[in-house]
């Protein structure tokens, strides 16, 4: 978790100093952490079922499939064993809604 917080702080610092400076106003490290901890299960539109070991299995929202291959892991990251997409809550919203990192965090905070 410490590495992840450092990465978020680096991203936040680069956003505040870069071209997205206006978007980063009022944005904190806690906002990024909260957005990252947002439950992926609540973001996905298909029904998820237990897959053992605390994992959930669903149909992938990024492609059509007959057999569920999208897994949500207990540490709140996902991986699709069919199309290969993976990430956390922030990257899920970025991919699904075609948003930037800042926009995704803003939506989830």
């Amino acid at each position: 978790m410490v590495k992840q917080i450092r990465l978020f702080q680096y991203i936040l610092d680069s956003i505040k100093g870069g071209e997205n400076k206006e978007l980063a106003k009022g944005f904190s490290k806690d906002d990024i952490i909260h957005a990252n901890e947002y439950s992926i299960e609540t973001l996905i539109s298909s029904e998820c079922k237990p897959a053992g070991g605390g994992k959930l299995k669903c149909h992938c929202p990024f492609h059509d499939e007959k057999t569920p291959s999208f897994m949500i892991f207990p540490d709140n990251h996902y991986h699709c064993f069919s199309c290969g997409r993976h990430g956390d809550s922030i990257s899920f919203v970025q991919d699904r809604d075609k948003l930037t990192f800042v926009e995704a965090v803003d939506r989830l905070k």
Side-chain angles (χ1 to χ4, degrees), residues 57-105:
K57 196 170 197 174
C58 321
H59 285 91
C60 182
F62 302 113
H63 64 91
D64 291 331
E65 62 183 359
K66 292 180 182 177
T67 304
S69 62
F70 187 87
M71 298 288 285
I72 301 172
F73 295 87
D75 65 352
N76 202 42
H77 80 277
Y78 68 91
H79 181 80
C80 177
F81 290 93
S82 183
C83 70
R85 290 206 185 189
H86 61 275
D88 57 19
S89 300
I90 299 170
S91 60
F92 180 87
V93 172
Q94 281 183 275
D95 288 347
R96 184 191 66 189
D97 300 339
K98 310 290 189 255
L99 300 174
T100 65
F101 178 84
V102 173
E103 294 167 330
V105 170

Short mmCIF file of all heavy atoms in Angstrom, two decimals, residues 57-105:
data_model
loop_
_atom_site.label_atom_id
_atom_site.label_comp_id
_atom_site.label_asym_id
_atom_site.label_seq_id
_atom_site.Cartn_x
_atom_site.Cartn_y
_atom_site.Cartn_z
N LYS A 57 -16.59 -13.72 -10.44
CA LYS A 57 -16.47 -13.95 -11.88
C LYS A 57 -17.67 -13.33 -12.58
O LYS A 57 -18.80 -13.50 -12.11
CB LYS A 57 -16.40 -15.45 -12.16
CG LYS A 57 -15.91 -15.80 -13.52
CD LYS A 57 -15.64 -17.29 -13.61
CE LYS A 57 -14.77 -17.56 -14.80
NZ LYS A 57 -14.34 -18.94 -14.88
N CYS A 58 -17.43 -12.61 -13.67
CA CYS A 58 -18.49 -11.93 -14.41
C CYS A 58 -18.19 -11.99 -15.91
O CYS A 58 -17.11 -12.36 -16.32
CB CYS A 58 -18.55 -10.44 -14.05
SG CYS A 58 -18.30 -10.02 -12.35
N HIS A 59 -19.17 -11.56 -16.70
CA HIS A 59 -18.93 -11.35 -18.11
C HIS A 59 -18.13 -10.05 -18.25
O HIS A 59 -18.41 -9.06 -17.57
CB HIS A 59 -20.24 -11.24 -18.89
CG HIS A 59 -20.92 -12.56 -19.08
ND1 HIS A 59 -21.85 -13.03 -18.18
CD2 HIS A 59 -20.78 -13.50 -20.03
CE1 HIS A 59 -22.27 -14.22 -18.59
NE2 HIS A 59 -21.63 -14.53 -19.70
N CYS A 60 -17.18 -10.05 -19.14
CA CYS A 60 -16.31 -8.89 -19.32
C CYS A 60 -17.09 -7.73 -19.96
O CYS A 60 -17.76 -7.93 -20.97
CB CYS A 60 -15.11 -9.23 -20.20
SG CYS A 60 -13.97 -7.87 -20.42
N PRO A 61 -17.01 -6.55 -19.38
CA PRO A 61 -17.72 -5.40 -19.95
C PRO A 61 -17.03 -4.80 -21.18
O PRO A 61 -17.58 -3.94 -21.84
CB PRO A 61 -17.72 -4.39 -18.80
CG PRO A 61 -16.51 -4.73 -18.01
CD PRO A 61 -16.35 -6.22 -18.13
N PHE A 62 -15.84 -5.31 -21.50
CA PHE A 62 -15.06 -4.73 -22.60
C PHE A 62 -15.19 -5.49 -23.92
O PHE A 62 -14.69 -5.05 -24.94
CB PHE A 62 -13.59 -4.62 -22.20
CG PHE A 62 -13.39 -3.78 -20.96
CD1 PHE A 62 -12.94 -4.35 -19.79
CD2 PHE A 62 -13.69 -2.43 -20.97
CE1 PHE A 62 -12.77 -3.58 -18.65
CE2 PHE A 62 -13.52 -1.65 -19.83
CZ PHE A 62 -13.05 -2.23 -18.68
N HIS A 63 -15.82 -6.66 -23.89
CA HIS A 63 -16.05 -7.42 -25.12
C HIS A 63 -17.21 -8.39 -24.90
O HIS A 63 -17.61 -8.66 -23.77
CB HIS A 63 -14.78 -8.18 -25.55
CG HIS A 63 -14.34 -9.24 -24.58
ND1 HIS A 63 -14.77 -10.54 -24.66
CD2 HIS A 63 -13.54 -9.19 -23.50
CE1 HIS A 63 -14.24 -11.25 -23.69
NE2 HIS A 63 -13.49 -10.45 -22.96
N ASP A 64 -17.77 -8.88 -25.99
CA ASP A 64 -18.87 -9.85 -25.90
C ASP A 64 -18.29 -11.24 -25.65
O ASP A 64 -17.29 -11.62 -26.26
CB ASP A 64 -19.68 -9.88 -27.20
CG ASP A 64 -20.47 -8.59 -27.40
OD1 ASP A 64 -20.85 -7.97 -26.39
OD2 ASP A 64 -20.70 -8.21 -28.56
N GLU A 65 -18.93 -11.96 -24.78
CA GLU A 65 -18.49 -13.33 -24.50
C GLU A 65 -19.66 -14.14 -23.96
O GLU A 65 -20.59 -13.60 -23.37
CB GLU A 65 -17.32 -13.35 -23.51
CG GLU A 65 -17.63 -12.76 -22.15
CD GLU A 65 -16.40 -12.75 -21.24
OE1 GLU A 65 -15.33 -13.19 -21.64
OE2 GLU A 65 -16.55 -12.29 -20.10
N LYS A 66 -19.61 -15.45 -24.20
CA LYS A 66 -20.66 -16.33 -23.72
C LYS A 66 -20.33 -16.88 -22.34
O LYS A 66 -21.21 -17.11 -21.53
CB LYS A 66 -20.86 -17.49 -24.71
CG LYS A 66 -21.42 -17.03 -26.04
CD LYS A 66 -21.60 -18.18 -26.98
CE LYS A 66 -22.14 -17.67 -28.31
NZ LYS A 66 -22.28 -18.73 -29.29
N THR A 67 -19.06 -17.12 -22.10
CA THR A 67 -18.61 -17.67 -20.83
C THR A 67 -17.87 -16.59 -20.04
O THR A 67 -16.95 -15.97 -20.58
CB THR A 67 -17.66 -18.86 -21.07
OG1 THR A 67 -18.32 -19.82 -21.89
CG2 THR A 67 -17.25 -19.51 -19.77
N PRO A 68 -18.24 -16.34 -18.80
CA PRO A 68 -17.58 -15.30 -18.01
C PRO A 68 -16.07 -15.56 -17.85
O PRO A 68 -15.65 -16.67 -17.52
CB PRO A 68 -18.26 -15.38 -16.64
CG PRO A 68 -19.54 -16.08 -16.88
CD PRO A 68 -19.31 -16.99 -18.04
N SER A 69 -15.27 -14.54 -18.12
CA SER A 69 -13.83 -14.66 -17.98
C SER A 69 -13.23 -13.47 -17.22
O SER A 69 -12.03 -13.34 -17.11
CB SER A 69 -13.17 -14.77 -19.36
OG SER A 69 -13.42 -13.60 -20.11
N PHE A 70 -14.08 -12.60 -16.70
CA PHE A 70 -13.67 -11.40 -16.00
C PHE A 70 -13.66 -11.69 -14.50
O PHE A 70 -14.69 -12.02 -13.92
CB PHE A 70 -14.65 -10.27 -16.32
CG PHE A 70 -14.28 -8.92 -15.81
CD1 PHE A 70 -13.46 -8.08 -16.55
CD2 PHE A 70 -14.77 -8.46 -14.59
CE1 PHE A 70 -13.14 -6.82 -16.10
CE2 PHE A 70 -14.45 -7.20 -14.13
CZ PHE A 70 -13.63 -6.38 -14.88
N MET A 71 -12.50 -11.59 -13.88
CA MET A 71 -12.36 -11.90 -12.45
C MET A 71 -12.08 -10.63 -11.67
O MET A 71 -11.27 -9.80 -12.08
CB MET A 71 -11.20 -12.87 -12.23
CG MET A 71 -11.39 -14.21 -12.90
SD MET A 71 -12.63 -15.24 -12.13
CE MET A 71 -11.76 -15.77 -10.70
N ILE A 72 -12.76 -10.50 -10.53
CA ILE A 72 -12.48 -9.43 -9.58
C ILE A 72 -11.87 -10.10 -8.35
O ILE A 72 -12.47 -11.02 -7.78
CB ILE A 72 -13.77 -8.68 -9.19
CG1 ILE A 72 -14.43 -8.06 -10.43
CG2 ILE A 72 -13.44 -7.58 -8.16
CD1 ILE A 72 -15.80 -7.46 -10.18
N PHE A 73 -10.69 -9.65 -7.99
CA PHE A 73 -9.95 -10.27 -6.90
C PHE A 73 -10.22 -9.56 -5.57
O PHE A 73 -10.64 -8.40 -5.56
CB PHE A 73 -8.45 -10.27 -7.24
CG PHE A 73 -8.13 -11.14 -8.42
CD1 PHE A 73 -8.20 -10.63 -9.70
CD2 PHE A 73 -7.80 -12.47 -8.25
CE1 PHE A 73 -7.93 -11.43 -10.80
CE2 PHE A 73 -7.53 -13.28 -9.33
CZ PHE A 73 -7.59 -12.76 -10.61
N PRO A 74 -9.97 -10.24 -4.44
CA PRO A 74 -10.28 -9.66 -3.13
C PRO A 74 -9.59 -8.32 -2.86
O PRO A 74 -10.10 -7.50 -2.11
CB PRO A 74 -9.79 -10.72 -2.14
CG PRO A 74 -9.82 -12.00 -2.90
CD PRO A 74 -9.51 -11.62 -4.32
N ASP A 75 -8.44 -8.08 -3.48
CA ASP A 75 -7.74 -6.80 -3.26
C ASP A 75 -8.25 -5.70 -4.19
O ASP A 75 -7.61 -4.66 -4.33
CB ASP A 75 -6.24 -6.97 -3.37
CG ASP A 75 -5.78 -7.36 -4.77
OD1 ASP A 75 -6.63 -7.65 -5.63
OD2 ASP A 75 -4.56 -7.36 -5.00
N ASN A 76 -9.40 -5.93 -4.82
CA ASN A 76 -10.09 -4.97 -5.67
C ASN A 76 -9.33 -4.61 -6.93
O ASN A 76 -9.24 -3.45 -7.32
CB ASN A 76 -10.47 -3.69 -4.88
CG ASN A 76 -11.60 -2.94 -5.54
OD1 ASN A 76 -12.57 -3.54 -6.01
ND2 ASN A 76 -11.51 -1.63 -5.60
N HIS A 77 -8.77 -5.62 -7.58
CA HIS A 77 -8.27 -5.42 -8.94
C HIS A 77 -8.95 -6.46 -9.82
O HIS A 77 -9.55 -7.40 -9.33
CB HIS A 77 -6.75 -5.48 -9.01
CG HIS A 77 -6.16 -6.87 -9.03
ND1 HIS A 77 -5.96 -7.60 -7.88
CD2 HIS A 77 -5.77 -7.66 -10.06
CE1 HIS A 77 -5.43 -8.78 -8.21
NE2 HIS A 77 -5.32 -8.84 -9.52
N TYR A 78 -8.91 -6.24 -11.12
CA TYR A 78 -9.61 -7.14 -12.03
C TYR A 78 -8.66 -7.64 -13.12
O TYR A 78 -7.62 -7.03 -13.39
CB TYR A 78 -10.82 -6.44 -12.67
CG TYR A 78 -10.46 -5.32 -13.62
CD1 TYR A 78 -10.27 -5.56 -14.98
CD2 TYR A 78 -10.31 -4.02 -13.16
CE1 TYR A 78 -9.92 -4.53 -15.84
CE2 TYR A 78 -9.98 -2.99 -14.01
CZ TYR A 78 -9.78 -3.25 -15.36
OH TYR A 78 -9.44 -2.23 -16.21
N HIS A 79 -9.05 -8.74 -13.73
CA HIS A 79 -8.33 -9.28 -14.89
C HIS A 79 -9.32 -10.07 -15.74
O HIS A 79 -10.09 -10.86 -15.23
CB HIS A 79 -7.18 -10.19 -14.47
CG HIS A 79 -6.42 -10.72 -15.63
ND1 HIS A 79 -5.46 -9.97 -16.28
CD2 HIS A 79 -6.50 -11.90 -16.28
CE1 HIS A 79 -4.97 -10.68 -17.28
NE2 HIS A 79 -5.58 -11.85 -17.31
N CYS A 80 -9.30 -9.81 -17.05
CA CYS A 80 -10.09 -10.61 -17.98
C CYS A 80 -9.15 -11.62 -18.62
O CYS A 80 -8.17 -11.24 -19.28
CB CYS A 80 -10.75 -9.73 -19.05
SG CYS A 80 -11.67 -10.74 -20.25
N PHE A 81 -9.45 -12.89 -18.46
CA PHE A 81 -8.61 -13.94 -19.00
C PHE A 81 -8.85 -14.16 -20.49
O PHE A 81 -8.17 -14.95 -21.11
CB PHE A 81 -8.80 -15.24 -18.20
CG PHE A 81 -8.23 -15.14 -16.82
CD1 PHE A 81 -9.01 -14.75 -15.76
CD2 PHE A 81 -6.89 -15.39 -16.60
CE1 PHE A 81 -8.48 -14.63 -14.48
CE2 PHE A 81 -6.34 -15.28 -15.33
CZ PHE A 81 -7.14 -14.90 -14.26
N SER A 82 -9.79 -13.44 -21.06
CA SER A 82 -10.05 -13.54 -22.49
C SER A 82 -9.37 -12.41 -23.26
O SER A 82 -8.58 -12.64 -24.15
CB SER A 82 -11.56 -13.52 -22.74
OG SER A 82 -11.84 -13.68 -24.10
N CYS A 83 -9.67 -11.16 -22.89
CA CYS A 83 -9.10 -10.02 -23.64
C CYS A 83 -7.83 -9.47 -23.00
O CYS A 83 -7.11 -8.69 -23.62
CB CYS A 83 -10.13 -8.91 -23.81
SG CYS A 83 -10.57 -8.01 -22.30
N GLY A 84 -7.53 -9.87 -21.75
CA GLY A 84 -6.30 -9.46 -21.11
C GLY A 84 -6.33 -8.14 -20.36
O GLY A 84 -5.33 -7.73 -19.80
N ARG A 85 -7.46 -7.47 -20.35
CA ARG A 85 -7.53 -6.19 -19.62
C ARG A 85 -7.44 -6.46 -18.12
O ARG A 85 -7.97 -7.44 -17.62
CB ARG A 85 -8.83 -5.46 -19.92
CG ARG A 85 -8.84 -4.94 -21.33
CD ARG A 85 -9.73 -3.76 -21.41
NE ARG A 85 -9.80 -3.37 -22.81
CZ ARG A 85 -10.35 -2.28 -23.24
NH1 ARG A 85 -10.91 -1.46 -22.38
NH2 ARG A 85 -10.37 -1.99 -24.50
N HIS A 86 -6.76 -5.55 -17.44
CA HIS A 86 -6.62 -5.69 -16.00
C HIS A 86 -6.33 -4.32 -15.39
O HIS A 86 -5.97 -3.39 -16.10
CB HIS A 86 -5.50 -6.68 -15.66
CG HIS A 86 -4.17 -6.25 -16.18
ND1 HIS A 86 -3.76 -6.52 -17.45
CD2 HIS A 86 -3.17 -5.54 -15.61
CE1 HIS A 86 -2.56 -6.00 -17.65
NE2 HIS A 86 -2.17 -5.39 -16.55
N GLY A 87 -6.56 -4.22 -14.09
CA GLY A 87 -6.28 -2.97 -13.41
C GLY A 87 -7.06 -2.83 -12.13
O GLY A 87 -7.52 -3.80 -11.55
N ASP A 88 -7.22 -1.57 -11.72
CA ASP A 88 -7.94 -1.25 -10.49
C ASP A 88 -9.20 -0.47 -10.83
O ASP A 88 -9.57 -0.36 -12.00
CB ASP A 88 -7.04 -0.47 -9.53
CG ASP A 88 -6.50 0.81 -10.15
OD1 ASP A 88 -7.05 1.30 -11.15
OD2 ASP A 88 -5.52 1.35 -9.61
N SER A 89 -9.86 0.07 -9.82
CA SER A 89 -11.11 0.81 -10.04
C SER A 89 -10.92 2.00 -10.96
O SER A 89 -11.75 2.29 -11.82
CB SER A 89 -11.68 1.31 -8.71
OG SER A 89 -11.94 0.24 -7.88
N ILE A 90 -9.81 2.72 -10.77
CA ILE A 90 -9.55 3.91 -11.58
C ILE A 90 -9.36 3.53 -13.04
O ILE A 90 -9.98 4.13 -13.93
CB ILE A 90 -8.34 4.69 -11.03
CG1 ILE A 90 -8.62 5.15 -9.60
CG2 ILE A 90 -8.00 5.87 -11.94
CD1 ILE A 90 -7.41 5.72 -8.87
N SER A 91 -8.54 2.54 -13.31
CA SER A 91 -8.30 2.14 -14.71
C SER A 91 -9.56 1.54 -15.32
O SER A 91 -9.80 1.68 -16.53
CB SER A 91 -7.12 1.18 -14.82
OG SER A 91 -7.35 0.00 -14.08
N PHE A 92 -10.39 0.88 -14.51
CA PHE A 92 -11.65 0.34 -15.01
C PHE A 92 -12.54 1.46 -15.56
O PHE A 92 -13.05 1.39 -16.67
CB PHE A 92 -12.39 -0.43 -13.91
CG PHE A 92 -13.70 -1.02 -14.35
CD1 PHE A 92 -13.74 -2.27 -14.93
CD2 PHE A 92 -14.89 -0.32 -14.21
CE1 PHE A 92 -14.95 -2.82 -15.36
CE2 PHE A 92 -16.09 -0.85 -14.63
CZ PHE A 92 -16.12 -2.10 -15.21
N VAL A 93 -12.70 2.52 -14.77
CA VAL A 93 -13.53 3.65 -15.19
C VAL A 93 -12.89 4.37 -16.38
O VAL A 93 -13.59 4.79 -17.30
CB VAL A 93 -13.79 4.61 -14.00
CG1 VAL A 93 -14.46 5.89 -14.46
CG2 VAL A 93 -14.63 3.92 -12.95
N GLN A 94 -11.57 4.47 -16.37
CA GLN A 94 -10.88 5.09 -17.51
C GLN A 94 -11.18 4.33 -18.81
O GLN A 94 -11.53 4.93 -19.82
CB GLN A 94 -9.37 5.09 -17.29
CG GLN A 94 -8.86 6.17 -16.39
CD GLN A 94 -7.35 6.12 -16.29
OE1 GLN A 94 -6.80 5.37 -15.48
NE2 GLN A 94 -6.69 6.89 -17.13
N ASP A 95 -11.03 3.01 -18.77
CA ASP A 95 -11.26 2.18 -19.96
C ASP A 95 -12.73 2.16 -20.36
O ASP A 95 -13.06 2.30 -21.53
CB ASP A 95 -10.79 0.75 -19.72
CG ASP A 95 -9.29 0.62 -19.67
OD1 ASP A 95 -8.58 1.57 -20.07
OD2 ASP A 95 -8.80 -0.44 -19.23
N ARG A 96 -13.59 1.96 -19.39
CA ARG A 96 -15.02 1.84 -19.69
C ARG A 96 -15.61 3.13 -20.24
O ARG A 96 -16.38 3.12 -21.20
CB ARG A 96 -15.78 1.42 -18.44
CG ARG A 96 -17.28 1.17 -18.69
CD ARG A 96 -18.07 1.01 -17.43
NE ARG A 96 -18.06 2.28 -16.70
CZ ARG A 96 -18.51 2.44 -15.47
NH1 ARG A 96 -18.99 1.41 -14.81
NH2 ARG A 96 -18.48 3.61 -14.88
N ASP A 97 -15.26 4.25 -19.62
CA ASP A 97 -15.88 5.53 -19.97
C ASP A 97 -14.99 6.43 -20.83
O ASP A 97 -15.36 7.58 -21.09
CB ASP A 97 -16.30 6.28 -18.70
CG ASP A 97 -17.29 5.49 -17.87
OD1 ASP A 97 -17.96 4.59 -18.42
OD2 ASP A 97 -17.40 5.76 -16.66
N LYS A 98 -13.82 5.92 -21.21
CA LYS A 98 -12.87 6.69 -22.04
C LYS A 98 -12.51 8.02 -21.38
O LYS A 98 -12.65 9.09 -21.96
CB LYS A 98 -13.41 6.93 -23.45
CG LYS A 98 -13.94 5.70 -24.16
CD LYS A 98 -12.81 4.77 -24.54
CE LYS A 98 -13.29 3.65 -25.43
NZ LYS A 98 -13.40 2.38 -24.81
N LEU A 99 -12.05 7.95 -20.13
CA LEU A 99 -11.71 9.14 -19.36
C LEU A 99 -10.21 9.20 -19.08
O LEU A 99 -9.52 8.18 -19.15
CB LEU A 99 -12.45 9.12 -18.01
CG LEU A 99 -13.97 9.10 -18.03
CD1 LEU A 99 -14.51 8.93 -16.62
CD2 LEU A 99 -14.51 10.35 -18.68
N THR A 100 -9.74 10.38 -18.73
CA THR A 100 -8.37 10.53 -18.27
C THR A 100 -8.30 10.07 -16.82
O THR A 100 -9.34 9.88 -16.17
CB THR A 100 -7.90 11.99 -18.34
OG1 THR A 100 -8.68 12.77 -17.42
CG2 THR A 100 -8.03 12.55 -19.75
N PHE A 101 -7.09 9.95 -16.30
CA PHE A 101 -6.91 9.55 -14.91
C PHE A 101 -7.62 10.54 -13.98
O PHE A 101 -8.34 10.14 -13.08
CB PHE A 101 -5.40 9.49 -14.59
CG PHE A 101 -5.11 9.14 -13.16
CD1 PHE A 101 -5.07 7.82 -12.75
CD2 PHE A 101 -4.88 10.13 -12.22
CE1 PHE A 101 -4.82 7.49 -11.43
CE2 PHE A 101 -4.60 9.82 -10.89
CZ PHE A 101 -4.58 8.49 -10.51
N VAL A 102 -7.42 11.82 -14.21
CA VAL A 102 -8.02 12.86 -13.37
C VAL A 102 -9.54 12.78 -13.41
O VAL A 102 -10.21 12.85 -12.38
CB VAL A 102 -7.53 14.25 -13.79
CG1 VAL A 102 -8.27 15.35 -13.03
CG2 VAL A 102 -6.04 14.38 -13.58
N GLU A 103 -10.11 12.63 -14.60
CA GLU A 103 -11.56 12.54 -14.73
C GLU A 103 -12.12 11.31 -14.02
O GLU A 103 -13.17 11.36 -13.40
CB GLU A 103 -11.96 12.52 -16.21
CG GLU A 103 -11.67 13.81 -16.94
CD GLU A 103 -11.79 13.68 -18.45
OE1 GLU A 103 -11.53 12.58 -18.99
OE2 GLU A 103 -12.10 14.69 -19.08
N ALA A 104 -11.40 10.18 -14.13
CA ALA A 104 -11.85 8.94 -13.48
C ALA A 104 -11.83 9.09 -11.96
O ALA A 104 -12.78 8.69 -11.29
CB ALA A 104 -10.99 7.77 -13.93
N VAL A 105 -10.76 9.65 -11.43
CA VAL A 105 -10.68 9.84 -9.98
C VAL A 105 -11.78 10.80 -9.52
O VAL A 105 -12.44 10.57 -8.51
CB VAL A 105 -9.29 10.37 -9.56
CG1 VAL A 105 -9.29 10.79 -8.09
CG2 VAL A 105 -8.23 9.31 -9.80
#
